[in-house]
Amino acid sequence: MKTHTSPQPLVWRLLRAHISPLQLAAYTLANLVGIFIILLAFQLYRDLSPLLTQPDGIFSPQYLILNKHLTASDALGLGSDPTFSQDEIDDLRRQPFTLRIAPFTASRYDVTCTLSGQGLPPISTDMFFESVPDSFIDTDLTRWHFDPRQPVVPIILPRSYLTLYNFGFAQTHALPKVSENLATMINLNITLRGNHRQETLQGRVVGFTTRLNTILVPDDFIQWSNQRYTQDTDTPRPTRLILQTDNPADPQLAQYLDLHHYETADETATTSRAILILRLLTTLVIAVGTIVSLLSIYLLILSIHLLIQKNTQKIQTLRLLGHTARSLARPYQTLVILLNILVLILALALLISLRSHLLHQLQPLFPQTAPRSLLPTILLALLITLILTYINIRQIKNKIH
């Protein structure tokens, strides 16, 4: 009875004799870098999704506040009109860099606010109101409505105002500091005067904004109060516009603003450009990780082909002796599986270590960056490894045949 010696020891000896440690190390390193970049980008996207998906996230359109340039003669009423005409607004709306645009609507009557609360002495100040369409506001609008039958005025304040009070006015006048939560509990008495009327309404701070540097009230309240406290029925032209764009660094936008002598807040423009750069870098990192992973797949396939090519004559001899292609391919496939498992373990270990360090650095800057579960990322890593392994096994089997 004719018997065959198991081909495994023979093929393993051939493999060890002609294997290139440099090729396998290059594949392992390239695949590790590619998979690690993909997993890191995926997990950081999950961890930082509040920063990406919130209204002012890095992947959301950006907002610019526009006004006309004022000269000394304009301030004295001798120069050009600092307001925007409807034709100018329509022309801005037609520009390719404009997604949306809306005017600020200002109050046209006298406003005095008196505030008091626990631990706070009564403070009165003159102020003003403005409104924009609700879709331009970057805070919760659950309580953002006004009913003339139950006149409580909801107000959104800039966060910068609260900072100025806490670290400027309150500190120099020995007053207690106010947090955002405490500010929403302070009683506000809003006195409105105009058109031979004077009424006091209750006000309530319902939120804070970082996008708009003004005291916001609902648009329906502005319309109601302007009609009630203003004799002039003509709507004045706006002095400021809010413009939504997907690329604040667009050269066409800069040229247009310079040509028409429009200005934007320097901080807003600078922040928007920084967000645009961060968006491009994030996309670039994901693309580089994908390209490196694809190159590592090709490198492994090429390495396996070269390895098998060196042993072509010996493999043909074993085939003539009766050994199957499956049995001859198994050692090469086992090597690929072991390398891919090693890459998977190393990539996950590096991911956990670096992610922990990054979140530790970001937590003080962005308290809303709560860590997400690693399970989806682990499943993604397993899926990538299974796909790579399947491709490699099929390539080895075809080459042996």
Side-chain angles (χ1 to χ4, degrees):
M1 180 178 178
K2 184 178 180 181
T3 60
H4 297 291
T5 304
S6 173
Q8 300 301 326
L10 295 175
V11 177
W12 274 116
R13 285 198 295 270
L14 292 174
L15 183 63
R16 287 196 300 268
H18 296 88
I19 194 170
S20 173
L22 184 60
Q23 287 180 343
L24 296 181
Y27 160 74
T28 303
L29 180 60
N31 201 19
L32 174 62
V33 171
I35 293 180
F36 170 72
I37 292 176
I38 292 175
L39 298 182
L40 180 64
F42 178 77
Q43 184 61 41
L44 287 182
Y45 177 86
R46 285 174 43 78
D47 290 333
L48 303 179
S49 58
L51 300 178
L52 303 175
T53 57
Q54 66 185 4
D56 281 332
I58 66 173
F59 286 112
S60 63
Q62 302 302 310
Y63 297 84
L64 300 176
I65 309 301
L66 305 183
N67 58 268
K68 290 188 175 180
H69 177 70
L70 286 178
T71 63
S73 58
D74 295 332
L76 296 174
L78 303 176
S80 59
D81 186 2
T83 62
F84 290 91
S85 67
Q86 187 59 46
D87 289 339
E88 291 173 323
I89 296 175
D90 291 339
D91 187 58
L92 267 168
R93 186 174 285 114
R94 290 191 294 267
Q95 300 305 312
F97 49 77
T98 301
L99 298 180
R100 291 186 303 161
I101 191 170
F104 282 79
T105 304
S107 58
R108 292 181 284 138
Y109 44 82
D110 295 331
V111 181
T112 301
C113 176
T114 302
L115 58 94
S116 61
Q118 295 181 352
L120 289 174
I123 300 175
S124 295
T125 181
D126 292 333
M127 60 191 305
F128 64 95
F129 291 142
E130 285 187 303
S131 71
V132 294
D134 292 353
S135 58
F136 287 90
I137 299 175
D138 59 334
T139 190
D140 182 23
L141 301 180
T142 304
R143 297 183 290 169
W144 191 244
H145 59 274
F146 174 77
D147 185 354
R149 295 169 298 181
Q150 298 176 343
V152 176
V153 184
I155 298 172
I156 294 177
L157 295 176
R159 283 190 171 87
S160 58
Y161 283 22
L162 191 62
T163 301
L164 288 173
Y165 169 81
N166 285 330
F167 301 102
F169 186 81
Q171 191 165 347
T172 57
H173 290 76
L175 295 174
K177 292 181 172 58
V178 178
S179 66
E180 290 189 11
N181 289 334
L182 180 59
T184 59
M185 296 185 288
I186 295 176
N187 297 319
L188 301 176
N189 293 319
I190 309 296
T191 301
L192 310 177
R193 291 184 299 273
N195 196 19
H196 308 293
R197 297 174 183 267
Q198 177 173 319
E199 295 177 315
T200 299
L201 307 180
Q202 182 182 358
R204 179 72 64 185
V205 176
V206 298
F208 291 85
T209 176
T210 56
R211 179 183 301 164
L212 302 168
N213 190 25
T214 188
I215 302 172
L216 287 174
V217 291
D219 196 57
D220 51 1
F221 170 75
I222 282 287
Q223 302 300 331
W224 174 83
S225 58
N226 277 339
Q227 292 177 3
R228 185 174 179 83
Y229 300 103
T230 306
Q231 292 182 346
D232 187 5
T233 58
D234 294 334
T235 302
R237 300 197 301 188
T239 57
R240 295 199 301 164
L241 305 174
I242 179 170
L243 182 145
Q244 184 186 38
T245 179
D246 58 353
N247 183 5
D250 189 342
Q252 294 184 39
L253 173 59
Q255 292 173 4
Y256 185 92
L257 297 182
D258 289 340
L259 179 64
H260 293 81
H261 305 290
Y262 297 160
E263 293 181 335
T264 63
D266 291 340
E267 183 178 354
T268 302
T270 302
T271 302
S272 299
R273 291 186 178 94
I275 290 174
L276 177 64
I277 293 173
L278 182 58
R279 180 194 306 179
L280 295 175
L281 289 177
T282 303
T283 305
L284 180 63
V285 167
I286 297 175
V288 169
T290 304
I291 293 173
V292 171
S293 293
L294 294 176
L295 290 176
S296 66
I297 297 173
Y298 177 76
L299 179 62
L300 176 66
I301 294 173
L302 182 61
S303 300
I304 294 298
H305 281 199
L306 292 175
L307 187 61
I308 296 175
Q309 192 67 33
K310 291 180 180 179
N311 298 298
T312 298
Q313 185 175 359
K314 298 178 180 63
I315 292 174
Q316 290 174 346
T317 302
L318 292 173
R319 289 297 306 274
L320 292 175
L321 293 174
H323 300 297
T324 65
R326 177 180 297 179
S327 63
L328 295 175
R330 189 172 296 120
Y332 300 97
Q333 295 171 341
T334 302
L335 176 63
V336 167
I337 293 173
L338 293 176
L339 287 176
N340 287 344
I341 292 175
L342 176 63
V343 167
L344 173 65
I345 295 173
L346 291 176
L348 289 176
L350 288 173
L351 170 68
I352 294 172
S353 176
L354 184 58
R355 171 185 179 249
S356 176
H357 175 72
L358 291 176
L359 289 181
H360 179 73
Q361 299 295 324
L362 291 173
Q363 195 68 35
L365 299 175
F366 306 104
Q368 65 269 45
T369 56
R372 301 290 185 89
S373 171
L374 276 170
L375 181 59
T377 304
I378 295 174
L379 294 178
L380 176 63
L382 289 173
L383 177 63
I384 294 175
T385 302
L386 289 175
I387 293 175
L388 293 180
T389 304
Y390 174 78
I391 293 174
N392 294 331
I393 287 176
R394 292 292 302 178
Q395 289 291 330
I396 292 171
K397 183 177 179 181
N398 293 337
K399 186 63 178 177
I400 293 292
H401 274 291

